[in-house]
Amino acid sequence: MLIRSRKHFVAGIVMVGSFFAVCIYLLFPMLHDNYGNRLTGLQFADSVFNSLAKGSSYFVPEVRKDIEAVNGKIVEVSVPLETRYSYGVIRVMETVGAEASYDKEGRLHFKGDLGAILNAATDVGNTLYFNEHKPIEEKYRMPALQVAKCWWSVLHPAVQELQRQGQVGYAKIVDVTLKKALEPGNNFYMIEITKVKEHIPLVVGMLVFYILYTLWYGFGIFQLFEGVGLSMHK
């Protein structure tokens, strides 16, 4: 290899080498979480940002207010359903006082108070959000996450069916309940809740490290190219 500038070439080797050294370090379990579990640097960063995302994803009070508009409103809907959820969906529906059965085509037909149904689904999402599961399992006699999947499997297709019936307002409230109550609870289950304002130094430090680490690699490559005579001039 033809080295035009030994100074720049060595600087580039050192910078790129140190970049990969840090990268390798981040792939080993050198850190710990609040429970003492060993984490790699990447897992630690992922855990931190998941916790921060969870801390800004609690919308249950707003969802409760939206549901008030459909309390006592009886809906009758027929939706397609995967066979694996058939038994569970019947149970969760009957638990909240709704009627549920299957027709000859294998579609689930349910009828009940939409407010009661959505409040029950919101309760499940809210309980899971705070990393609890026993209240759900005691009520439904099923694993908590399975209950959440059953509610999602029946309410998700119900959005389109209600729209077809012309009940666009009802469909919107069902969709809001799924996206802002049930899904956050299920997706963030067993993740710690962290507020950004409570960890500003950590967040700023991680972002600054990310920016500097990226620039370090870029300048390392630049120095290597400069060392072998590949450079840009006006």
Side-chain angles (χ1 to χ4, degrees):
M1 179 183 293
L2 182 61
I3 299 176
R4 297 294 181 87
S5 173
R6 185 178 180 82
K7 175 184 175 181
H8 289 99
F9 184 77
V10 171
I13 289 292
V14 171
M15 294 180 74
V16 173
S18 60
F19 173 88
F20 283 105
V22 173
C23 182
I24 292 171
Y25 174 80
L26 293 175
L27 296 176
F28 284 89
M30 301 294 186
L31 302 173
H32 297 81
D33 61 12
N34 294 332
Y35 301 102
N37 300 316
R38 295 172 67 85
L39 300 174
T40 66
L42 296 179
Q43 289 173 327
F44 177 79
D46 186 56
S47 175
V48 169
F49 286 110
N50 281 339
S51 295
L52 293 173
K54 181 174 183 177
S56 59
S57 301
Y58 187 68
F59 308 106
V60 169
E62 294 93 324
V63 173
R64 298 280 193 199
K65 290 181 181 179
D66 289 338
I67 294 175
E68 289 177 2
V70 294
N71 283 334
K73 304 296 183 181
I74 304 300
V75 295
E76 192 167 349
V77 181
S78 179
V79 298
L81 193 70
E82 292 183 38
T83 307
R84 56 178 172 160
Y85 295 121
S86 58
Y87 172 74
V89 168
I90 293 290
R91 172 174 288 191
V92 298
M93 280 293 179
E94 292 179 344
T95 300
V96 298
E99 300 174 8
S101 60
Y102 287 91
D103 59 22
K104 295 179 180 179
E105 298 177 354
R107 293 171 64 90
L108 176 77
H109 180 84
F110 71 89
K111 179 180 179 181
D113 182 337
L114 184 59
I117 291 172
L118 296 183
N119 272 312
T122 300
D123 288 340
V124 171
N126 189 62
T127 303
L128 290 174
Y129 182 89
F130 290 103
N131 300 329
E132 298 178 5
H133 60 92
K134 289 185 178 179
I136 299 173
E137 293 171 354
E138 290 174 355
K139 179 177 180 178
Y140 294 95
R141 302 296 178 185
M142 286 166 49
L145 292 178
Q146 184 177 343
V147 173
K149 290 178 181 178
C150 286
W151 275 124
W152 189 91
S153 69
V154 68
L155 292 178
H156 185 257
V159 174
Q160 273 193 335
E161 293 301 318
L162 287 170
Q163 290 172 339
R164 289 176 184 173
Q165 293 179 10
Q167 303 286 2
V168 178
Y170 291 1
K172 183 178 179 180
I173 296 174
V174 173
D175 191 50
V176 167
T177 302
L178 286 172
K179 292 180 178 178
K180 292 191 174 183
L182 189 61
E183 289 181 8
N186 180 79
N187 296 342
F188 289 116
Y189 180 59
M190 294 310 294
I191 293 177
E192 294 298 320
I193 303 172
T194 303
K195 299 289 185 181
V196 174
K197 62 182 179 182
E198 298 173 356
H199 297 275
I200 291 178
L202 175 62
V203 174
V204 172
M206 293 180 70
L207 291 176
V208 169
F209 168 77
Y210 174 77
I211 293 172
L212 293 179
Y213 189 55
T214 304
L215 290 174
W216 188 262
Y217 177 75
F219 276 103
I221 295 296
F222 175 79
Q223 292 290 333
L224 278 176
F225 283 3
E226 187 80 14
V228 297
L230 295 175
S231 60
M232 293 182 63
H233 301 281
K234 290 184 180 180

